[in-house]
Amino acid sequence: MKSVQARVQKIIAELTELQEHPRRLRDGDDAFPFPRMIDAGNGQGLFVSGKIDENIAKVADELLSLDPSLQPRFTRAEWRAMVRKSFGPALAQIDLDDDISANADQVLAKVKETLKRDVDHHATREYVFGCTLFGNSDVKPFSIGPVKFEDRETWLHRKAEEGDISATTQRRVRDSWAGKRLGKRRPSKDSMDEADVLQAFAESTFASSIRTVGLGSEAGRDKALTAARLAITGIALLWQTPSKALHGMNLLYDRSPRRQKTISFVPGKAVLSGSSWSHMPHGPRLKSGEWEQKLQERRDHFQAIGEALEYVVSPSGDVSRPRVMNTLVQALLWFHEGCRETVALMAIVKFSSSLDALASGGKARGIREVITARVGITDDKALWVDGPTMKQAVDEIYSEGRSRTVHGTNMKIGHDWTSTRSLAEQLARLCLIMCIDWAAANTSSDDPLQMRS
């Protein structure tokens, strides 16, 4: 804390110098093109220099490091902004002619008081992201932990019922989704809400809503996005090839369908061109009631995933089984990234990392132990007729594909790795499903190493 107090003294000393030599506001080496200012409250501002801003940022970093409970609740950028904002009124209240040490104590006390109030005011917030899920929208609303999925009409009705969207905006958004041309509105808060809803959904037919508690707005958004992505990944695990299902299951925040154009030239021949869609506009199409049946059949699967997603959005990580949930979250993250990857070799690296996470960092041997314990395949058993043994498959995925690539020693970088990618995805999928089932059946265990035995 002494170093924090010393930095506050530097801030006050620099501020005093600025009062005596105002021209120093424009430091020659300051890349910021305008005079810097902090809101001092009561409609007033306080001019500061680049050095003051630099020291405020360092004070923010030190305060954050001194309180680990804040680190998962705020991004560094938004925490720095909060601290900077708290300095304005605190600095405006002191007399620069007073003792600098006493002034620093007063400023620091005021800053901490303001920060405590601001931190305590971060209550419940709901994030919503338009998404493409299934090819049909007649699916009843369902939740996976903190992530709620609804067709967009149901979501719009709910938000209007809750008073978050006006009746006028509800009507106009519904008309727009029905293909009707909307008349212009007078600029207002309501018209901006309408524009936000239309942009957030675009052609998406589903809404993914996530409630967070006690998180900063940016940290909350990032955690909500992660929870939504992993919830969709948990859904895709029910399909034989999750990457194909995820080809059409997307958050609009991440990507929307677009045409990909290619042109090639062959000497002496005509120009050749082609195009394709970047990805499918929606996921698999289901029969009426089919998804509800899948949810019921795999309720333990989604209960365990929901528990992992609660860990994702928790402001403290204080859940009943943090170690097991941490393992599942990291394995799901790597699996999600593997499914989204466009380069086959990089996908292998990520699927291997998913397997390694489930093995608690046990490398190839630990992965084989997870496969044997959870899937029931021993080292010497062939994965299919005339196919590789499980040990050979893991060595190809982990040693040849993952390790050599990560370490820059892969001499087959230009080879076709698509079949190995498919094998890695299938092994990672099976292990994830079985480890999730294990977590659902062993609710009293918080030891992820038990998934290897």
Side-chain angles (χ1 to χ4, degrees):
M1 188 58 72
K2 288 183 179 180
S3 62
V4 175
Q5 208 264 5
R7 287 204 180 278
V8 176
Q9 287 192 32
K10 289 183 179 181
I11 292 169
I12 296 172
E14 175 70 7
L15 185 62
T16 302
E17 181 71 14
L18 290 179
Q19 310 307 308
E20 299 175 359
H21 303 91
R23 289 187 179 182
R24 290 191 62 253
L25 279 171
R26 291 299 301 123
D27 294 336
D29 58 350
D30 192 348
F32 192 70
F34 304 105
R36 297 169 180 264
M37 180 179 288
I38 299 178
D39 181 8
N42 298 321
Q44 298 180 339
L46 192 67
F47 285 105
V48 297
S49 66
K51 289 182 179 179
I52 290 178
D53 264 341
E54 181 181 340
N55 276 295
I56 289 177
K58 290 179 178 178
V59 167
D61 292 347
E62 290 184 42
L63 290 176
L64 192 62
S65 67
L66 289 170
D67 190 349
S69 69
L70 296 173
Q71 295 172 18
R73 299 179 61 183
F74 301 94
T75 64
R76 186 172 298 275
E78 68 182 332
W79 175 253
R80 283 182 170 183
M82 288 170 60
V83 173
R84 187 179 190 273
K85 182 180 178 182
S86 71
F87 260 96
L91 289 172
Q93 290 179 8
I94 63 173
D95 185 339
L96 295 176
D97 292 330
D98 290 345
D99 177 72
I100 192 170
S101 179
N103 272 342
D105 288 339
Q106 180 182 334
V107 168
L108 187 55
K110 180 64 177 177
V111 165
K112 293 169 70 175
E113 177 188 337
T114 302
L115 288 173
K116 183 180 186 307
R117 183 193 65 220
D118 291 346
V119 167
D120 291 342
H121 283 175
H122 283 84
T124 301
R125 187 187 298 262
E126 181 179 359
Y127 296 86
V128 60
F129 308 104
C131 66
T132 55
L133 205 57
F134 307 121
N136 51 304
S137 59
D138 57 336
V139 173
K140 295 178 181 179
F142 64 96
S143 296
I144 304 175
V147 184
K148 184 179 184 67
F149 292 99
E150 306 159 280
D151 68 89
R152 65 184 185 181
E153 293 284 353
T154 300
W155 174 86
L156 185 65
H157 177 76
R158 176 170 68 84
K159 298 313 292 180
E161 287 287 309
E162 293 173 356
D164 294 326
I165 292 177
S166 72
T168 300
T169 293
Q170 180 190 17
R171 173 180 56 79
R172 286 173 59 86
V173 168
R174 186 182 291 119
D175 287 346
S176 177
W177 286 345
K180 297 180 181 179
R181 187 180 181 86
L182 300 180
K184 290 185 178 180
R185 293 186 70 177
R186 180 185 303 174
S188 64
K189 174 64 168 62
D190 207 31
S191 67
M192 289 190 288
D193 290 344
E194 175 188 311
D196 288 343
V197 170
L198 291 175
Q199 290 174 13
F201 281 88
E203 300 303 318
S204 303
T205 52
F206 284 88
S208 173
S209 304
I210 305 94
R211 289 187 183 272
T212 65
V213 179
L215 298 174
S217 60
E218 291 183 13
R221 178 204 61 206
D222 293 347
K223 290 175 183 289
L225 281 166
T226 297
R229 291 169 185 140
L230 297 190
I232 292 174
T233 303
I235 293 171
L237 281 172
L238 300 192
W239 274 263
Q240 186 66 36
T241 308
S243 58
K244 289 184 178 179
L246 285 172
H247 202 53
M249 295 179 176
N250 297 282
L251 298 179
L252 181 62
Y253 185 96
D254 293 333
R255 59 179 185 169
S256 57
R258 59 185 176 84
R259 297 294 293 183
Q260 295 175 314
K261 188 73 175 179
T262 59
I263 301 176
S264 61
F265 299 85
V266 179
K269 295 185 179 181
V271 176
L272 304 177
S273 65
S275 66
S276 61
W277 283 104
S278 58
H279 56 275
M280 295 294 291
H282 56 72
R285 187 173 294 276
L286 302 173
K287 298 177 182 178
S288 179
E290 184 178 357
W291 176 245
E292 287 73 18
Q293 182 179 350
K294 287 180 179 290
L295 272 177
Q296 179 62 23
E297 291 173 351
R298 297 293 295 159
R299 59 185 180 276
D300 291 344
H301 170 90
F302 288 113
Q303 183 177 349
I305 291 178
E307 189 178 348
L309 301 187
E310 292 286 0
Y311 174 78
V312 170
V313 301
S314 169
S316 63
D318 186 18
V319 297
S320 60
R321 295 186 289 168
R323 293 176 61 204
V324 166
M325 293 304 114
N326 185 56
T327 294
L328 291 182
V329 165
Q330 292 185 65
L332 281 166
L333 275 170
W334 279 116
F335 188 82
H336 170 269
E337 292 302 305
C339 288
R340 298 293 193 198
E341 180 57 63
T342 58
V343 179
L345 197 52
M346 292 299 100
I348 294 168
V349 171
K350 293 172 181 179
F351 287 131
S352 297
S353 297
S354 179
L355 288 165
D356 203 17
L358 294 173
S360 297
K363 301 183 179 180
R365 178 178 179 180
I367 292 172
R368 298 200 312 270
E369 290 176 357
V370 170
I371 294 174
T372 298
R374 304 274 65 83
V375 185
I377 303 176
T378 56
D379 279 358
D380 58 352
K381 184 175 182 180
L383 297 182
W384 59 83
V385 177
D386 296 327
T389 64
M390 185 267 279
K391 184 178 185 302
Q392 290 171 334
V394 171
D395 286 343
E396 179 181 355
I397 293 168
Y398 189 85
S399 300
E400 294 294 323
R402 182 260 183 199
S403 293
R404 291 186 181 275
T405 302
V406 169
H407 297 138
T409 59
N410 192 335
M411 300 306 295
K412 300 178 181 179
I413 196 76
H415 291 205
D416 181 6
W417 289 86
T418 52
S419 61
T420 306
R421 171 184 182 153
S422 178
L423 176 59
E425 179 178 351
Q426 289 307 309
L427 281 179
R429 171 183 179 263
L430 283 173
C431 285
L432 254 178
I433 289 175
M434 299 308 293
C435 285
I436 289 169
D437 287 350
W438 175 89
N442 295 271
T443 56
S444 61
S445 174
D446 191 32
D447 182 4
L449 285 173
Q450 290 186 6
M451 289 190 286
R452 290 168 54 177
S453 60

